[in-house]
C-alpha cells in the first residue's frame, strides 16, 4: 500500500486553516474517492487532477485511491487544493519521494493540460501556513509575488505540474513557453471575480487622482473632511443636490495617510479573498474606497452569500472609506446592520455553513439630501420645495437615531455660491496641503497612544479618554450643559472628546481647550458655538 501526505490551506472568511492532504493506494478496482467535507468545486478536482497528471506525461495509478482532507470537520471549498492532491497522489504512487512533500504547503488549481492556475486568497493562506510553522510553500507563478509578502517563508512559483514534479524529483526543470505577448491571459481569470467588488476600488495615487482644490467653496465641509481624515471620524454630509457632497467623499481617500505594512497586509488579504486584487499589484498601499449603490442588500454590505459568507462592502472598505451616497435611500435593515461594525471594527456573520469573523474598520461617509426633491432648507421649505412636512420627516427619519449617534461629524453642505463657483473667492487648498496636516496630526496621536492597542483618536474608548488623558480645565463646560439639556448622549460625549483631541492634534496642542471642544460640539450638533471654523495652526 502506497501512502503520502502534504498540506494545503482551507480559507474560512479571511482566515486560513492548514489542511493535511493524505493519499492512500490499495489493491482493488481502480477508483478515486475524495473525503473530508469537500464542496462541489473541490469534489470536481478528481477529474482535473487525473487529466492534469496524464497530460503531464505521468502514469495514473490503476488502484483504489483514497484522498482524505484532515481535519474532516472543517468545510473545504475551491480549486486551490488541486496541486496538493496531485502531489499526494504522485507521492503515494512512488513518482516522487513522499518525504519531500510532507512539510510542504501547496496552493493552486490545475488545468486539464497541467498548467497551474492562480487562485484567490493566496496571501491569507500563506499567512496561515506561516503561523502554523510551515516555511516552504508552492504557489502558481502568477501569485508568487503575493505569497512572498509573508516574511520567513520560502516561496516557489510554478507554471506547470511538470515543473513541480521535476523540482521535487531533483530532475532538470523543463522550460515552459510563456504566453505570447498581446494575447489575453486566461490564467488571470482565477484572480478576478466579476461582480465581487460591490462598488469598490483602490484609491488613486494623490498625484494622479482628483484634487481637493477642485471643490468650490464649502469651507465647513472641507474642515470636517480634514478632521475625519486626521482622527478616523465618521462623517455625514447633508445638503441639496449638486453642492459637492460626492466630490468631497471621492477625495477623502487621497487625504488619508498611506497604509502601514500591517494594514496593507490586512487589506490585501481581504481583496485577495474577494477576488478584486489587481493582477501585478500584490500589495495594496493606498486606503480602499467602496461606494455601493443604494439598492445594496444587507448581505452585500456586511457579508453573506450561499455557503460560507463572503466579505461585504464593510470589509472591502477595511482601513479605507465606505461612502454611502443617497444614504436615506438604503434599506433600514442594511443601514442598521452597520451599527455593530462601526463600534467593534469587525463583523461576525453566522450562517448554517459556519461562522466567519471579517475585519471591518472603516471610515464611513454618509451623503443625504434634505428631502426627496432635495430643495428643502433648514429655514423652511424654500428653494421651490413642495414636499409635505410629513414626507420630509419620514425621509429624514430613515437614518435612525442609533446610527447617527455613531457619526462624529454632521455638516450641512450649502449650495455653492456664484463667487466660489467662478473662482472669485480664491481656490481652495490642494489635497497635498491637507494630507500633510493630516499626516502630522496622526503622528502626534500615534506618539500619544504609543503602547496602547489604538492608533487614531476614533478608536480610543471613552473611559480611557476621560481618565487617562485630561482636557484643559473648563473645556467640557459646554458639553456638560448639552448633556443636561438632552442634546448629547453619553456616547455622544465620548465622540465629542475624540474629535476635540483630533482638533488639538491638528493645531499642535498637548490638550484640547474650550475652543476645540466647542468646535467639536458644533460639528456634531450643528449648533453654532461662536468658534472659528478652522483647523491646524490657524486656530
Amino acid at each position: 500500500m502506497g501512502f503520502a501526505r502534504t498540506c494545503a490551506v482551507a480559507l474560512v472568511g479571511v482566515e486560513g486553516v492548514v489542511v493535511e492532504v493524505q493519499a492512500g493506494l490499495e489493491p482493488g478496482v481502480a477508483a478515486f474517492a475524495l473525503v473530508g467535507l469537500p464542496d462541489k468545486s473541490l469534489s470536481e478536482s478528481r477529474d482535473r487532477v487525473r487529466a492534469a497528471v496524464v497530460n503531464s506525461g505521468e502514469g495514473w495509478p490503476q488502484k483504489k485511491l483514497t484522498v482524505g482532507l484532515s481535519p474532516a470537520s472543517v468545510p473545504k471549498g475551491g480549486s486551490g487544493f488541486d496541486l496538493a492532491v496531485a502531489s499526494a497522489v504522485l507521492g503515494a504512487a512512488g513518482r516522487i519521494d513522499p518525504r519531500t512533500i510532507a512539510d510542504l504547503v501547496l496552493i493552486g488549481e490545475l488545468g486539464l493540460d497541467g498548467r497551474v492556475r492562480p487562485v484567490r486568497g493566496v496571501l491569507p493562506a500563506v499567512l496561515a501556513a506561516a503561523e502554523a510553522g510551515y516555511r516552504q510553500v508552492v504557489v502558481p507563478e502568477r501569485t508568487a509575488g503575493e505569497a512572498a509578502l509573508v516574511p520567513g517563508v520560502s516561496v516557489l512559483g510554478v507554471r506547470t505540474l511538470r515543473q513541480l514534479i521535476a523540482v521535487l524529483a531533483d530532475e532538470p526543470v523543463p522550460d515552459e513557453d510563456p504566453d505570447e505577448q498581446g494575447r489575453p491571459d486566461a490564467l488571470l481569470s482565477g484572480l478576478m471575480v466579476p461582480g465581487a467588488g460591490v462598488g469598490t476600488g483602490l484609491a488613486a495615487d494623490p498625484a494622479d487622482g482628483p484634487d481637493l482644490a477642485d471643490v468650490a467653496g464649502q469651507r465647513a465641509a472641507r474642515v470636517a473632511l480634514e478632521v475625519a481624515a486626521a482622527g478616523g471620524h465618521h462623517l455625514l454630509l447633508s445638503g441639496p443636490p449638486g453642492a459637492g457632497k460626492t466630490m468631497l467623499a471621492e477625495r477623502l481617500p487621497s487625504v488619508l495617510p498611506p497604509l502601514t505594512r500591517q494594514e496593507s497586509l490586512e487589506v490585501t488579504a481581504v481583496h485577495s479573498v474577494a477576488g478584486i486584487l489587481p493582477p501585478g499589484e500584490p500589495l495594496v498601499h493606498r486606503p480602499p474606497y467602496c461606494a455601493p449603490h443604494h439598492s445594496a442588500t444587507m448581505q452585500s454590505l456586511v457579508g453573506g452569500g450561499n455557503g460560507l459568507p463572503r466579505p461585504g462592502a464593510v470589509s472591502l472598505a477595511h482601513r479605507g472609506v465606505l461612502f454611502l451616497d443617497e444614504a436615506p435611500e438604503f434599506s433600514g435593515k442594511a443601514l442598521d446592520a452597520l451599527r455593530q461594525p462601526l463600534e467593534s471594527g469587525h463583523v461576525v456573520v453566522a450562517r448554517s455553513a459556519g461562522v466567519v469573523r471579517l475585519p471591518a474598520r472603516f471610515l464611513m461617509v454618509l451623503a443625504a439630501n434634505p428631502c426627496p426633491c432635495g430643495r428643502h432648507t433648514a429655514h423652511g421649505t424654500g428653494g421651490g420645495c413642495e414636499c409635505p412636512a410629513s414626507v420630509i420627516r419620514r425621509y429624514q427619519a430613515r437614518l435612525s437615531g442609533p446610527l447617527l449617534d455613531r457619526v462624529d461629524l454632521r455638516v450641512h453642505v450649502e449650495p455653492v455660491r456664484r463667487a466660489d463657483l467662478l473662482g472669485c473667492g480664491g481656490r481652495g487648498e490642494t489635497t497635498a496641503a491637507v494630507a500633510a496636516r493630516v499626516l502630522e496630526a496622526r503622528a502626534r496621536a500615534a506618539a500619544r497612544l504609543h503602547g496602547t492597542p489604538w492608533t487614531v483618536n476614533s478608536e480610543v474608548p471613552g473611559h480611557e479618554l476621560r481618565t487617562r488623558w485630561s482636557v484643559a480645565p473648563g473645556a467640557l463646560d459646554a458639553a456638560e450643559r448639552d448633556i443636561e439639556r438632552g442634546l448629547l448622549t453619553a456616547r455622544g460625549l465620548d465622540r465629542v472628546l475624540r474629535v476635540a483631541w483630533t482638533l488639538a492634534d491638528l493645531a499642535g496642542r498637548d490638550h484640547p481647550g474650550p475652543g476645540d471642544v466647542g468646535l467639536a460640539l458644533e460639528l456634531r450638533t450643528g449648533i453654532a458655538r461662536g468658534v472659528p471654523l478652522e483647523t491646524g495652526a490657524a486656530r
Side-chain angles (χ1 to χ4, degrees):
M1 176 178 177
F3 177 82
R5 63 181 178 87
T6 188
C7 294
V9 178
L11 289 177
V12 182
V14 294
E15 299 176 352
V17 178
V18 176
V19 174
E20 188 175 74
V21 181
Q22 304 170 341
L25 289 172
E26 55 184 313
V29 178
F32 188 172
L34 181 63
V35 298
L37 210 58
D39 71 349
K40 181 65 174 177
S41 60
L42 180 51
S43 298
E44 293 173 348
S45 68
R46 295 174 297 185
D47 300 317
R48 290 194 301 270
V49 168
R50 182 188 293 109
V53 169
V54 173
N55 290 330
S56 298
E58 304 295 335
W60 185 260
Q62 298 301 313
K63 295 182 179 180
K64 182 181 179 180
L65 170 62
T66 302
V67 174
L69 309 175
S70 179
S73 58
V74 176
K76 305 166 190 72
S79 56
F81 290 81
D82 290 1
L83 206 56
V85 171
S87 300
V89 171
L90 293 172
R95 176 62 178 87
I96 56 179
D97 189 349
R99 293 174 296 181
T100 62
I101 60 174
D103 297 323
L104 205 60
V105 175
L106 300 105
I107 305 166
E109 177 186 338
L110 285 174
L112 300 185
D113 57 355
R115 288 188 300 171
V116 181
R117 302 175 63 90
V119 294
R120 295 176 286 116
V122 167
L123 177 59
V126 177
L127 283 170
E131 292 175 359
Y134 292 88
R135 293 294 173 261
Q136 292 182 312
V137 298
V138 178
V139 298
E141 187 180 55
R142 288 285 187 178
T143 57
E146 183 181 343
L149 297 173
V150 182
V153 176
S154 176
V155 178
L156 172 63
V158 293
R159 187 176 301 165
T160 64
L161 182 60
R162 285 186 292 271
Q163 287 184 338
L164 177 61
I165 295 173
V167 171
L168 297 177
D170 198 18
E171 299 172 355
V173 179
D175 293 330
E176 302 291 348
D177 295 332
D179 294 331
E180 297 181 14
Q181 295 293 329
R183 290 187 57 188
D185 192 352
L187 293 180
L188 296 180
S189 61
L191 296 176
M192 303 294 289
V193 178
V198 198
T200 189
L202 299 181
D205 189 273
D208 303 326
D211 200 298
L212 196 56
D214 300 335
V215 180
Q218 305 304 352
R219 182 182 178 188
R222 292 172 66 96
V223 169
L225 197 76
E226 181 177 343
V227 174
H233 306 286
H234 306 304
L235 172 64
L236 167 63
L237 299 172
S238 61
K245 303 186 294 294
T246 302
M247 289 183 66
L248 287 163
E250 290 175 344
R251 284 151 178 78
L252 179 55
S254 299
V255 179
L256 295 174
L259 300 176
T260 64
R261 174 74 178 186
Q262 180 60 34
E263 291 171 346
S264 294
L265 290 175
E266 294 174 7
V267 174
T268 303
V270 174
H271 284 225
S272 178
V273 169
I276 58 175
L277 191 65
E281 298 182 17
L283 188 64
V284 178
H285 296 282
R286 300 295 309 172
Y289 174 77
C290 188
H293 190 260
H294 60 76
S295 62
T297 62
M298 183 179 67
Q299 289 76 15
S300 68
L301 284 181
V302 301
N306 297 326
L308 284 176
R310 294 174 54 83
V314 297
S315 297
L316 299 178
H318 180 59
R319 301 295 181 184
V321 177
L322 176 66
F323 177 47
L324 302 183
D325 199 4
E326 305 293 346
E329 301 295 343
F330 282 79
S331 73
K333 288 180 60 178
L335 289 175
D336 287 338
L338 300 176
R339 286 151 55 178
Q340 178 190 356
L342 285 174
E343 288 289 330
S344 62
H346 63 267
V347 58
V348 178
V349 184
R351 295 291 185 270
S352 59
V355 180
V356 173
R357 184 179 187 272
L358 299 168
R361 189 168 295 282
F362 55 90
L363 197 165
M364 182 180 69
V365 180
L366 303 173
N369 293 328
C371 66
C373 75
R375 296 191 293 271
H376 177 73
T377 65
H379 308 291
T381 54
C385 176
E386 298 180 355
C387 300
S390 59
V391 172
I392 296 175
R393 286 195 299 270
R394 283 197 301 269
Y395 184 80
Q396 295 177 349
R398 292 180 182 178
L399 299 179
S400 66
L403 176 65
L404 290 180
D405 201 33
R406 290 166 169 82
V407 178
D408 302 344
L409 310 170
R410 308 172 193 174
V411 179
H412 182 73
V413 182
E414 298 290 346
V416 182
R417 298 180 302 173
R418 180 176 61 87
D420 293 328
L421 190 61
L422 299 179
C424 301
R427 196 164 183 259
E429 284 187 298
T430 63
T431 295
V434 177
R437 287 202 300 270
V438 168
L439 192 60
E440 292 177 3
R442 287 220 175 186
R444 293 190 188 98
R448 182 175 64 254
L449 300 174
H450 180 70
T452 69
W454 318 295
T455 56
V456 293
N457 293 321
S458 63
E459 299 175 359
V460 184
H463 173 73
E464 297 289 339
L465 282 175
R466 294 189 298 270
T467 59
R468 190 167 179 176
W469 292 285
S470 59
V471 300
L476 292 178
D477 291 346
E480 292 172 359
R481 287 194 297 269
D482 280 5
I483 291 179
E484 293 177 355
R485 295 160 58 191
L487 298 176
L488 203 64
T489 63
R491 180 191 287 122
L493 176 62
D494 293 341
R495 294 187 175 276
V496 166
L497 278 174
R498 293 167 184 162
V499 175
W501 273 105
T502 300
L503 290 168
D505 290 333
L506 285 168
R509 285 189 285 272
D510 294 333
H511 301 280
D516 298 315
V517 176
L519 181 53
L521 285 168
E522 182 174 339
L523 290 173
R524 179 173 178 84
T525 63
I527 301 174
R529 309 283 171 158
V531 181
L533 196 60
E534 296 173 341
T535 60
R539 297 194 66 247

